RNA sequence: GCAUUUUUAGCUCAGUUGGACAGAGCAACAGUUUUCUAAACUGAUGGUCAUAGGUUCGAAUCCUAUAAAAUGUACCA
């Protein structure tokens, strides 16, 4: 519809140029946009405002001249000039009624598009190391990343979801030492407890299972605990597998799955880290100083050069990071998105700098980053400090158990990633009935309920007749609902392209509002067959869009509540 | 100090390529059930869009400065 109106305006512009009212060389970058208020019609165009200077006339005069030469269209019922010179387009009832036909025809594919054209895209998210259970921050990453993956899939990208984790190195060693200490009966603060050891209760649980000789399956491996306390390597393998197993269970409970799990250790074992280092040296962007090797990241926008190889010979974390991203590029992901917590923002410049230094023709802004701001958790009116080491935190599992998967997902995805999120557990739990997600789900359930009522009342629903009778949908409630429905495709498009899933959450609430208002304002199951058929079709279209949208959110669309 | 992000109604937040009088939910207030699920609806109340400048037909939105908050700023990952 937008494009249609744009064409009409473009035609009118040409006509005015021919008439000589406008200079032939002007090409204003005008927009056709949804109006905020119904008083201004459905779409508005600002072209007259932009032309005022070039034409040396008042905007309203230009608008009037444009309207005079605007080609007629059956989709447009009325055109008004308003305010400083906006041209407002009022769509005909038929134009909106026809959207119901489109929705019912497209079904589950309504709103989807092929903007991505099947190109490969990778989105990496969560990527928590297996040193403890997933917490709320990971939950936000999981909810946002998963929703983004769904959105991008819906606009035609070939999406691969990846989870990257470190199964070796200092932190994992610390984990193993912590478990070993627990297995020996040493508690935090006692002698023998590792410096900066992980103190959480789960460490004791892993130690107990290890001593008991239990087995665990994770990432395709079956690990049996040896129970030998002195075998740190065995403890490490068992601990990593145990925690990986827990994380997978958490994510499953949250409805999030991945296509690929990528291990940092494989970058070393496959020689990718070493190869990357050699390439960087060959590129001439490195130098040695103080016994360490540096990369001149300042040449690529960093504020100081970064150490690649420490004086003890080990590599800093950013080298495997670069090597990892090289594999993404080599695996053919022309587009890659990293969803991470904002506490990692400093890595962006370094990773991109490292990739640029390799001279591999990787685009400057690759990969994309979506950083979500921190989540602070409130409980009992106080902030719960998240600290793995201290062992005090709110796990994702806790939230799912207390608040529910649907509500947690909605809550974590409903706001802009840029803004910090306060998750008040007491509020979320005590007011879970007021959570917007139930409001949306209820709208869906209400349509299902109407459809059940049909049988009980012995009423029929002829869908084809409903389509033929769409012209009967003329009430204000119906109009508003159809307007809302027709927004879905453009909203989906914008949410996916801007990488902003909160737009979807917001939209679904608006749609539910329009439906609840309609439901209360008009009887659906009326005696008149034609009117009832038409209204039931409108309800079915609403049900379809709610279902499609909730699907992308990863939230279920219940038939009954 | 520097970097990133944030600052909109009592609270939690929308406001998307700069548009017409700033919008929701919650809380508080007044109503709506013999009739399709009241997990709903209707109405009224509530804002100097952090502050000060600038850009232009037009700014919550862009630019500059200031203030406040979060996070980062390792030869840790």
């Amino acid at each position: 519809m937008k494009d249609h109106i744009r064409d009409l305006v473009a035609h009118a512009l040409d006509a005015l140029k021919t008439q000589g009212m406008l200079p032939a060389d002007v090409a204003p970058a005008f927009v056709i946009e949804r109006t905020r208020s119904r008083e201004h019609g459905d779409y508005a165009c600002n072209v007259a405002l932009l032309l005022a200077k070039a034409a040396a006339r008042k905007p309203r005069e230009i608008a009037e001249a444009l309207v005079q030469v605007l080609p007629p269209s059956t989709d447009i019922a009325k055109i008004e000039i308003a305010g400083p010179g906006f041209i407002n387009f009022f769509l005909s009832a038929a134009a909106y009624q026809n959207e119901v036909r489109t929705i019912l025809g497209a079904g589950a594919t309504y709103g989807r598009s092929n903007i991505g054209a099947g190109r490969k895209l990778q989105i990496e998210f969560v990527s928590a190391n297996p040193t403890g259970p997933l917490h709320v921050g990971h939950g936000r990453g999981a909810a946002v990343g998963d929703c983004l993956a769904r959105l991008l899939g819906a606009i035609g990208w070939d999406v691969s979801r990846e989870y990257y984790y470190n199964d070796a190195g200092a932190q994992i060693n610390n984990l193993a030492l912590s478990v070993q200490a627990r297995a020996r009966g040493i508690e935090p603060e006692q002698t023998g407890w590792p410096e900066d050891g992980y103190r959480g209760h789960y460490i004791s649980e892993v130690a107990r299972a290890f001593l008991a000789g239990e087995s665990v399956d994770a990432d395709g491996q079956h690990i049996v605990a040896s129970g030998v306390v002195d075998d740190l390597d065995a403890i490490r393998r068992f601990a990593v597998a145990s925690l990986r197993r827990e994380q997978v269970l958490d994510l499953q409970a949250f409805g999030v799955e991945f296509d690929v799990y990528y291990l940092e250790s494989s970058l070393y074992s496959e020689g990718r880290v070493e190869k990357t280092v050699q390439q960087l040296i060959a590129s001439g962007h490195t130098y040695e100083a103080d016994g360490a090797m540096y990369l001149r990241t300042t040449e690529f926008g960093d504020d100081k050069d970064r150490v690649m190889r420490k004086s003890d010979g080990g590599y800093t974390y950013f080298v495997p990071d670069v090597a990892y991203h090289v594999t993404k590029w080599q695996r053919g992901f022309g587009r890659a998105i990293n969803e991470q917590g904002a506490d990692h923002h400093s890595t962006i410049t370094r990773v991109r700098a490292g990739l640029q230094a390799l001279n591999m023709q990787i685009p400057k802004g690759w990969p994309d980053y979506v950083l979500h701001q921190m989540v602070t958790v409130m409980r009992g009116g106080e902030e719960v400090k998240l600290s793995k080491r201290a062992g005090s935190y709110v796990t994702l599992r806790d939230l799912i158990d207390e608040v529910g998967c649907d509500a947690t997902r909605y809550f974590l995805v409903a706001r802009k990633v840029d803004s910090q999120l306060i998750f008040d557990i007491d509020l979320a739990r005590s007011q879970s009935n007021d959570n917007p997600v139930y409001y949306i789900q209820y709208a869906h359930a209400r349509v299902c309920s109407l459809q059940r009522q049909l049988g009980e009342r012995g009423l029929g629903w002829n869908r084809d007749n409903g389509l033929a009778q769409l012209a009967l949908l003329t009430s204000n409630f119906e109009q508003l609902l159809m307007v809302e429905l027709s927004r879905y495709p453009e909203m989906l498009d914008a949410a996916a392209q801007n990488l902003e899933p909160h737009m979807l959450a917001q939209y679904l609430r608006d749609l539910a509002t329009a439906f609840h208002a309609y439901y209360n304002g008009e009887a659906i199951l009326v005696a008149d067959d034609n009117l009832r058929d038409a209204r039931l079709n409108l309800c079915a279209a609403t049900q379809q869009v709610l279902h499609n949208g909730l699907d992308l959110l990863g939230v279920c669309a219940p038939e009954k509540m």
Side-chain angles (χ1 to χ4, degrees), chain A residues 359-554:
Chain A
N359 295 325
M360 293 178 69
Q361 309 331 293
I362 296 175
K364 264 189 177 171
W366 189 96
D368 284 338
Y369 279 86
V370 174
L371 298 182
H372 63 257
Q373 289 293 321
M374 301 290 91
V375 181
T376 42
V377 179
M378 303 285 284
R379 177 177 255 155
E382 282 182 17
E383 184 180 339
V384 182
K385 280 286 181 190
L386 297 181
S387 165
K388 267 188 205 174
R389 297 211 169 102
S392 73
Y393 50 87
V394 182
T395 64
L396 177 57
R397 187 73 69 85
D398 289 342
L399 283 183
I400 297 171
D401 289 346
E402 290 183 33
V403 184
C405 174
D406 286 343
T408 304
R409 281 188 79 125
Y410 188 90
F411 200 91
L412 290 174
V413 95
R415 12 188 72 98
K416 280 181 302 192
V417 292
D418 285 335
S419 53
Q420 289 177 38
L421 175 55
I422 297 172
F423 202 121
D424 187 326
I425 292 186
D426 303 314
L427 197 73
R429 192 168 38 178
S430 69
Q431 300 192 342
S432 63
N433 283 351
D434 292 326
N435 190 304
V437 76
Y438 295 108
Y439 181 83
I440 297 165
Q441 290 178 318
Y442 183 45
H444 183 270
R446 266 187 156 169
V447 178
C448 298
S449 172
L450 284 171
Q451 292 163 354
R452 281 193 300 270
Q453 284 284 318
L454 280 174
E456 290 169 25
R457 296 189 180 197
L459 292 170
W461 173 22
N462 183 325
R463 292 166 190 248
D464 291 333
N465 186 51
L467 288 179
Q469 304 296 337
L470 289 177
L472 297 175
L473 301 176
T474 54
S475 81
N476 199 36
F477 291 113
E478 287 161 343
Q479 174 102 354
L480 289 172
L481 179 53
M482 289 186 284
V483 167
E484 208 57 37
L485 287 170
S486 70
R487 278 183 53 215
Y488 182 69
E490 58 198 66
M491 176 285 305
L492 178 52
D493 198 85
Q497 302 228 54
N498 296 326
L499 306 178
E500 296 193 335
H502 76 276
M503 292 174 78
L504 172 60
Q506 209 72 30
Y507 167 80
L508 288 173
R509 224 182 51 70
D510 291 344
L511 176 58
T513 298
F515 177 75
H516 285 308
Y518 175 42
Y519 181 93
N520 279 275
E522 306 274 357
I524 311 296
L525 302 177
V526 292
D528 183 295
D529 288 342
N530 288 340
L531 187 58
R532 188 177 66 247
D533 285 343
R535 288 185 171 171
L536 281 168
N537 275 21
L538 174 57
C539 289
T542 307
Q543 179 186 37
Q544 183 71 61
V545 174
L546 285 169
H547 196 286
N548 293 0
L550 286 170
D551 256 6
L552 294 177
L553 226 43

Side-chain angles (χ1 to χ4, degrees), chain A residues 57-195:
Chain A
R57 285 169 186 267
K58 288 179 186 164
R60 290 192 71 113
E61 279 179 28
I62 299 169
E64 273 165 39
L66 273 167
V67 170
Q68 289 302 316
V69 295
L70 213 57
S73 163
T74 52
D75 288 330
I76 291 161
K78 189 170 68 164
I79 297 172
E80 280 182 359
I81 295 160
F86 290 102
I87 304 175
N88 292 335
F89 296 86
F90 293 73
L91 295 195
S92 65
Y96 277 124
Q97 289 153 359
N98 199 43
E99 197 69 11
V100 173
R101 192 188 317 276
T102 307
I103 294 166
L104 294 176
T109 65
Y110 179 70
R112 302 177 82 93
S113 65
N114 195 29
I115 295 166
R119 283 171 290 171
K120 286 181 72 172
L121 178 154
Q122 187 216 55
I123 176 161
E124 180 205 328
F125 58 113
V126 186
S127 292
N129 285 338
T131 53
L134 299 176
H135 57 66
V136 199
H138 298 125
R140 189 174 194 184
V144 169
D146 187 57
C147 187
L148 277 175
R150 292 170 194 248
L151 281 167
L152 290 160
I155 64 164
W157 288 88
D158 175 15
V159 179
S160 174
R161 300 137 170 266
E162 188 150 316
Y163 187 119
Y164 173 72
Y165 71 91
N166 189 356
D167 57 327
Q171 290 197 20
I172 298 298
N173 203 46
N174 189 13
L175 169 73
L177 288 170
S178 304
V179 172
Q180 188 178 48
R182 283 288 190 185
R184 286 174 170 151
I186 302 169
E187 292 183 14
E189 310 301 341
Q190 292 182 345
T191 42
W193 182 258
E195 198 183 342

Side-chain angles (χ1 to χ4, degrees), chain A residues 281-299:
Chain A
I281 292 171
S283 74
H285 294 293
T286 61
Y287 64 91
E288 305 220 13
D290 313 324
M293 181 187 291
Y294 287 76
L295 181 69
R296 287 187 216 277
T297 51
T298 46
E299 292 176 2

